Amino acid sequence: MTIKAVIFDIGGVCVGSPMAGIHKYEEKHGLPRNYINVAIVKQGEHGAFQKLERGELKLSEFYNDFGLQLSDPSNKEHYKAYLKKSGKVVPDHIPDVSVNGKELFTIMMSETAKLDADIFLAIQKLKESGKFVLVALTNNFDLPEDDLKEAEAMGASTAIELRKLFDFFIESRLIGLRKPDPKIYQYACKTIGIEPNEAIFLDDIGMNLRSANKLGMKTIQVKMGQSKDAVKKLEQFTGLDLHSKTQSKI
């Protein structure tokens, strides 16, 4: 099947990863590495973070719920289970954890204000080729409207710059669906006018990629700090040079 579209996640692909912000917060507050991410995932679809990305919570409501959920002592058992499954040493005791939801989320989103130069160049060159429909498929949230400084710190300008490059910009907050729900990929394909096996999808999160792959999409994982490797794989799929820094027409 001919590839007709290239679909990009935003956070962790086109821009810095919120995960890097999570690690910074953990280091700053002496928390075990990956404790917070495990806690976020274990909240399931009813978690504050998940609701925010489906447009069901405003930031002002989210911060408190986010902090309370991540501070819940039950997360200790989830973390121990994660360590055991990963083959890592499981401590007998984990101290109580207190998470400031607003501080954590601000640090997470500050990472997304940074464009990834390698991915950005690849998107520019794909656009110049005119051979593919370019699509953003992002789990996102409503930026604050009453605090421009806060919105800017969360990547408002970067988002505007990126939007110019895409033919479609599909946002979880607007459609009430978020990755890895298969329905969001089906929605994207219907919107674009393609079949799943006519798309390449780039994301940094394994569960998002697995869900897309089950529907037939070709997938590329963009690992933190390894976007050059992802671009090389994208070149193999598209048959284009996406890394040479020739003069851009955009």
Side-chain angles (χ1 to χ4, degrees), residues 23-36:
H23 293 329
K24 286 182 179 179
Y25 184 91
E26 289 171 338
E27 290 172 9
K28 179 180 177 182
H29 293 277
L31 304 182
R33 189 171 178 84
N34 289 328
Y35 184 92
I36 288 175

Side-chain angles (χ1 to χ4, degrees), residues 24-152:
K24 286 182 179 179
Y25 184 91
E26 289 171 338
E27 290 172 9
K28 179 180 177 182
H29 293 277
L31 304 182
R33 189 171 178 84
N34 289 328
Y35 184 92
I36 288 175
N37 189 50
V38 170
I40 292 173
V41 173
K42 285 297 181 179
Q43 302 309 310
E45 288 307 299
H46 298 292
F49 187 74
Q50 290 81 352
K51 288 183 177 180
L52 179 73
E53 291 189 331
R54 292 195 302 267
E56 296 170 13
L57 281 180
K58 295 294 184 182
L59 268 178
S60 56
E61 306 168 304
F62 162 76
Y63 290 137
N64 184 62
D65 291 352
F66 192 46
L68 287 174
Q69 288 178 0
L70 299 186
S71 301
D72 192 296
S74 65
N75 293 317
K76 297 180 189 180
E77 296 308 312
H78 297 318
Y79 186 65
K80 287 181 179 179
Y82 154 77
L83 290 175
K84 186 176 181 180
K85 186 177 180 180
S86 303
K88 298 177 181 178
V89 177
V90 180
D92 293 328
H93 174 71
I94 296 176
D96 287 342
V97 170
S98 179
V99 175
N100 182 311
K102 184 171 184 177
E103 180 190 358
L104 168 60
F105 195 69
T106 301
I107 293 173
M108 288 169 61
M109 291 303 107
S110 68
E111 294 295 320
T112 68
K114 308 168 187 175
L115 276 174
D116 185 292
D118 296 304
I119 297 293
F120 189 67
L121 177 61
I123 296 172
Q124 287 179 312
K125 293 178 79 67
L126 284 168
K127 192 169 185 70
E128 288 172 4
S129 78
K131 294 183 177 181
F132 304 97
V133 178
L134 299 181
V135 184
L137 181 60
T138 178
N139 286 353
N140 66 353
F141 59 95
D142 287 312
L143 287 167
E145 298 178 355
D146 56 351
D147 190 332
L148 295 179
K149 186 177 180 181
E150 184 179 13
E152 188 60 33

